[in-house]
Amino acid sequence: MFTSIHTYHQNLLSNTTSCEEAVKYYIQKISNNQHLNAFVEVYTEEALQTAKRLDEKRKSGAPIKKLHGVVVALKDVICYKDHKVTASSAILQDFVSMYNATAVQYLLDEEAIIIGSCNCDEFAMGSSNENSVYGPTLNAIDNSKVPGGSSGGSAVAVQADLCMVSLGSDTGGSVRQPADFCGIVGLKPSYGKISRYGLIAYASSFDQIGIFGKTVKDVALVLEVIGKNDDFDSTMDETSTFKHVDQLLIPANKKYTIAIFKQVMDHISLDKEIANAIQTVLENLKTQGHQIVEINFDLLDYIVPTYYVLTAAEACSNLSRYDGIRYGHRTNENVKDLNDFYSKNRTEGFGKEVKRRIMLGNFVLSSGYYDAYFSKAQQVRTLLVEQTEQLFKTCDAIIMPTSPTTAFAIGEKKKDTIAMYLADIFTVFANLTGLPAIALPLFKHSNGMPFGIQLLTPQKDELTLLQLAEMLQTNSEVII
Ligand code: GLN
């Protein structure tokens, strides 16, 4: 049973296990857990071949690289050369990547083994993994519950021990919320920390690749490997404080000032047990000499509408490339003209939620409504960024819940779009402002499901984020 990359490497070096043994173990577990529907495709033969090659290399005395033999799963929106990438959409059925995403290339350079691609909400739009052409992924703790979304498959792959770590994407919470629902660690770095080259675009000014793992250290190690500059993504920013996993230990006397938002902690949607558990964390931090400050956050009720207006606008533009000519699905119906051809390709290829966002995006960008919706939402985003910059002049980090509830039942919110969107109330803030954020599993609810806390730090300060997360994870009794 896998506990950490460090222990796995020690076992490899002392010959008590091999990469091949690890891959065989995961292939077997994936096959025993097919009902979870976490994987879209499993690269069985290829992963075994890579494992054997790595074993031989190591046994011949070659030094091991940072992710030697680490078994990784990818969300089905991340390009892996010569492998299918479909964004869990009918429109990209059978589409094969022509190149590696930079993050994937960095993983391979450090000798990781990619075991398969994971189910997700179509084009990463959703909070429950129910919007996939492959059907829903199930939460491994309770199969009647969603795993969260949109990176539900990648989260369950780690949760159910079907791989060691996985990559997802987080545009409005799609790594952190499923991590929270599944009881694992989920990191969304600052905007610009991990290259978006080879990540299928949803809303480009929000999208970030994120990392799932069982421990903060494993997640930090993967970030060390993939969070590096890339000439193919001009929004990259290399000035992050975090460079190396060895930086995680905090000097014993270091004290932090941590903010909480009054409106978040008092929010009507927040489950009382989750609110109380967060209070316990805050009390513990105070006892250890850290300072907690309560801040007013008047804009809370505006952030979900702002997020959905802006992401829909970006999505309708990004998704216009799927026209059936250059990419993906082409209709078999007779067509009258070019417009009819586009229309049939897109009508048949896209699912309901994606269509809703394309229509919403075109609506908020249309001449009659641009000022009322798109411009206003951009103004709110600017205000949020400015207020956040001010806030971080007086504190080091923010603590809040990741999600207002634990994992909900499959089908519970599927018909109520607004309820589904409101499930993102505590995660979209980090994407609107570009802040790094991490979901940490710390508790088990009386309903049996896991939940934790979310930590946020200033832009590019992954170091403080990961140090605090490591401190909280080692100080607490982790549930999985
Ligand atoms: N649930 C959010 C949405 O549907 C977030 C998705 C994401 O982060 N990819 O937009």
Side-chain angles (χ1 to χ4, degrees):
M1 164 87 176
F2 171 79
T3 50
S4 74
I5 296 174
H6 180 70
T7 315
Y8 172 56
H9 278 174
Q10 281 180 327
N11 293 341
L12 286 176
L13 291 169
S14 62
N15 267 328
T16 42
T17 191
S18 66
C19 299
E20 187 182 352
E21 202 181 317
V23 168
K24 281 188 172 152
Y25 168 83
Y26 289 115
I27 298 287
Q28 187 59 50
K29 282 215 83 170
I30 293 170
S31 138
N32 295 345
N33 285 283
Q34 284 181 38
H35 66 284
L36 297 175
N37 200 18
F39 279 83
V40 169
E41 199 179 350
V42 185
Y43 315 134
T44 307
E45 273 319 304
E46 194 187 312
L48 278 169
Q49 289 312 319
T50 313
K52 283 184 194 157
R53 182 172 51 75
L54 290 171
D55 284 335
E56 273 164 30
K57 191 174 168 201
R58 188 182 63 257
K59 284 177 185 155
S60 75
I64 64 167
K65 296 209 178 165
K66 288 178 188 167
L67 295 180
H68 180 86
V70 172
V71 179
V72 187
L74 303 174
K75 182 176 181 177
D76 187 24
V77 289
I78 298 175
C79 293
Y80 180 20
K81 191 172 192 283
D82 298 330
H83 295 77
K84 273 192 225 168
V85 61
T86 72
S88 293
S89 174
I91 211 156
L92 279 176
Q93 282 312 276
D94 300 324
F95 179 78
V96 174
S97 284
M98 282 168 286
Y99 58 88
N100 280 332
T102 301
V104 171
Q105 190 56 52
Y106 284 150
L107 290 176
L108 297 172
D109 292 347
E110 293 295 337
E111 302 184 335
I113 301 173
I114 301 192
I115 194 146
S117 70
C118 287
N119 201 351
C120 60
D121 283 300
E122 186 179 0
F123 282 98
M125 296 176 189
S127 313
S128 65
N129 214 123
E130 291 169 290
N131 301 332
S132 162
V133 73
Y134 307 109
T137 299
L138 314 185
N139 194 309
I141 294 177
D142 175 346
N143 293 174
S144 70
K145 300 269 165 46
V146 302
S150 61
S151 317
S154 303
V156 172
V158 170
Q159 176 199 37
D161 205 27
L162 313 179
C163 64
M164 295 174 183
V165 290
S166 64
L167 297 189
S169 65
D170 190 314
T171 303
S174 279
V175 167
R176 289 160 289 149
Q177 186 248 25
D180 196 51
F181 281 9
C182 292
I184 59 173
V185 178
L187 168 71
K188 179 202 90 76
S190 308
Y191 185 74
K193 174 73 179 152
I194 300 177
S195 168
R196 288 180 294 111
Y197 181 72
L199 167 68
I200 292 182
Y202 157 17
S204 308
S205 77
F206 294 74
D207 297 339
Q208 257 305 280
I209 288 181
I211 305 162
F212 292 101
K214 287 212 160 117
T215 67
V216 173
K217 271 206 192 85
D218 282 357
V219 165
L221 178 61
V222 176
L223 182 68
E224 177 186 324
V225 168
I226 66 174
K228 288 185 306 198
N229 209 14
D230 176 19
D231 289 343
F232 291 132
D233 179 354
S234 57
T235 61
M236 296 285 296
D237 184 334
E238 263 205 298
T239 55
S240 164
T241 49
F242 173 78
K243 299 277 181 252
H244 201 278
V245 73
D246 290 347
Q247 296 170 292
L248 288 199
L249 215 59
I250 312 180
N253 54 357
K254 184 143 171 100
K255 301 295 170 214
Y256 293 95
T257 304
I258 294 165
I260 52 161
F261 292 142
K262 183 176 177 346
Q263 285 79 353
V264 166
M265 297 307 292
D266 293 345
H267 202 265
I268 185 156
S269 69
L270 180 60
D271 178 287
K272 289 284 165 293
E273 221 173 298
I274 299 182
N276 289 341
I278 293 176
Q279 287 302 346
T280 322
V281 173
L282 300 175
E283 289 308 320
N284 285 342
L285 285 167
K286 263 196 226 162
T287 320
Q288 290 162 21
H290 305 287
Q291 213 192 334
I292 309 293
V293 287
E294 191 181 71
I295 307 279
N296 257 320
F297 183 39
D298 297 330
L299 291 174
L300 179 64
D301 284 329
Y302 295 94
I303 63 176
V304 170
T306 302
Y307 167 83
Y308 276 93
V309 167
L310 294 178
T311 52
E314 292 190 25
C316 77
S317 162
N318 272 326
L319 270 59
S320 64
R321 75 190 72 180
Y322 304 101
D323 53 15
I325 293 179
R326 289 161 299 179
Y327 297 97
H329 174 76
R330 273 186 186 196
T331 184
N332 289 322
E333 305 273 309
N334 287 333
V335 292
K336 288 199 297 286
D337 53 25
L338 186 61
N339 260 342
D340 192 36
F341 183 57
Y342 287 149
S343 168
K344 287 207 165 77
N345 293 340
R346 288 164 67 80
T347 304
E348 291 167 13
F350 286 132
K352 195 170 170 191
E353 181 60 27
V354 173
K355 284 178 187 153
R356 188 189 338 260
R357 307 239 184 155
I358 292 173
M359 288 192 279
L360 178 64
N362 280 302
F363 173 75
V364 298
L365 289 173
S366 62
S367 58
Y369 296 95
Y370 185 93
D371 287 341
Y373 294 105
F374 186 72
S375 292
K376 272 277 172 296
Q378 276 192 311
Q379 284 164 0
V380 176
R381 190 177 198 187
T382 306
L383 265 181
L384 279 170
V385 171
E386 285 169 3
Q387 287 191 2
T388 311
E389 267 168 21
Q390 285 304 319
L391 169 70
F392 279 122
K393 288 191 176 146
T394 56
C395 72
D396 305 297
I398 304 168
I399 283 185
M400 58 168 136
T402 304
S403 183
T405 64
T406 55
F408 43 88
I410 293 177
E412 185 182 323
K413 295 190 199 289
K414 195 153 193 292
K415 293 218 165 67
D416 185 348
T417 310
I418 301 288
M420 189 70 94
Y421 291 0
L422 284 173
D424 302 331
I425 182 159
F426 304 134
T427 49
V428 294
F429 173 65
N431 307 77
L432 280 159
T433 50
L435 301 182
I438 191 165
L440 275 184
L442 297 177
F443 303 102
K444 187 173 183 166
H445 197 276
S446 58
N447 65 18
M449 298 310 288
F451 69 96
I453 61 160
Q454 183 183 194
L455 267 173
L456 301 92
T457 51
Q459 263 270 15
K460 299 173 220 158
D461 193 2
E462 274 81 13
L463 183 58
T464 305
L465 185 82
L466 292 166
Q467 285 180 331
L468 268 169
E470 168 71 358
M471 175 184 94
L472 284 163
Q473 194 175 45
T474 21
N475 285 354
S476 327
E477 218 184 76
V478 181
I479 47 156
I480 288 188

